[in-house]
Structure formats: structure tokens, C-alpha cells
Amino acid sequence: MVNRQDLGSWMEGPPPSGDQQWPGQRLGRPESGPGSIARFGPRAAALLIDWLICSLLSAAFFGYDGVATLAIFLVEQVLFVGFFGYSIGHRILRMQVQTLDGRPAGFLTALIRSVLLCLVIPPLVIDPDQRGLHDRVRNTGLFRI
């Protein structure tokens, strides 16, 4: 009989592979706390915060045009992640986009990552460390700070 604890929740992402006991373990990251991989719930909440802010700006200046909302979101991601390592939503929820060695992402990485994020599908293709394709392309991850 399968135990509910064995199945986990869809919000936990894919189960760790092999000997990996938690997301980020094979990257040398702790299981929890600062430096650990940000989990699905806070990631989704940060995305919602960012999208809400961009939607409000789009409604105020562009009549809530969908393309304008996406463009504002792209600019917000590129500028904030590029200069600071986090978007507004990331900062509120204490997360940062970092390279695998712990440095903030940088502008070029933020640009490539943000374009892929706006395509929607790459963030949904995740690995056992809960990093989307948009993070794997530039060897980054979203980590707790």
C-alpha cells in the first residue's frame, strides 16, 4: 500500500533522484534556510506579486494591454534581477537569483533568464533540484536569502 507521505504534494516538485535527499543537495546547498533552494510556494507567490505590480502599471498607463503587461514584466525582471539579483516579489519573499557559486545573476543572465521565463514553458521543465530550464541554461537557481 502506498503511503501519502511517500507521494508528497505536487507543490513539492519532483522527488529527489538517487541518493539526493532534498532539492539542492547535489549542488552543495543546505536543505533549508539561507542558501537553500526556494520551493514552489514562495516562487509562485513572488511571481504573483510581480505580475500584479506589472498589471497595475499596465492598467494605469496602457489600458491593461496584455502585450504591455508582459513587456513591463520582462523589463522589471531584467532590470531588478540584473542589477540586484531579485525582482520585487523575490525580495519581499527573501529569495535571490544566484549563480551556482552564490553570486547574484548579473545582467546578461537576467536578460536570457527573463526572456525564457516569459515564454512560460521553460520554467515548467524542472530538474530534481527544482530549477527550471530557464535557470539551467545560465547555471543559476532561485535561492533563499
Side-chain angles (χ1 to χ4, degrees):
M1 179 173 181
V2 177
N3 189 339
R4 185 182 184 292
Q5 290 176 319
D6 294 334
L7 294 175
S9 166
W10 66 272
M11 290 180 56
E12 295 170 4
S17 63
D19 294 334
Q20 183 175 346
Q21 297 174 6
W22 65 82
Q25 181 181 16
R26 68 186 183 98
L27 301 174
R29 295 297 183 136
E31 184 175 4
S32 61
S36 65
I37 295 276
R39 300 304 197 269
F40 178 79
R43 288 172 186 252
L47 180 64
L48 183 63
I49 290 168
D50 291 334
W51 192 259
L52 180 62
I53 291 168
C54 295
S55 295
L56 291 172
L57 289 170
S58 175
F61 298 105
F62 302 102
Y64 194 60
D65 178 67
V67 174
T69 305
L70 186 61
I72 294 168
F73 179 79
L74 178 64
V75 168
E76 183 243 0
Q77 290 292 309
V78 170
L79 292 179
F80 281 86
V81 172
F83 288 114
F84 306 114
Y86 46 75
S87 68
I88 296 168
H90 293 153
R91 183 65 186 140
I92 290 170
L93 295 171
R94 298 177 34 216
M95 298 180 287
Q96 185 178 39
V97 178
Q98 299 176 354
T99 60
L100 296 183
D101 61 1
R103 292 179 289 129
F107 184 76
L108 179 61
T109 295
L111 177 65
I112 294 168
R113 184 182 184 279
S114 299
V115 168
L116 291 172
L117 180 63
C118 288
L119 294 175
V120 179
I121 300 300
L124 299 176
V125 180
I126 58 174
D127 67 5
D129 292 310
Q130 297 185 2
R131 294 184 316 135
L133 186 59
H134 65 303
D135 280 323
R136 292 192 318 253
V137 164
R138 295 298 296 174
N139 288 320
T140 60
L142 189 56
F143 300 100
R144 295 177 181 156
I145 54 173

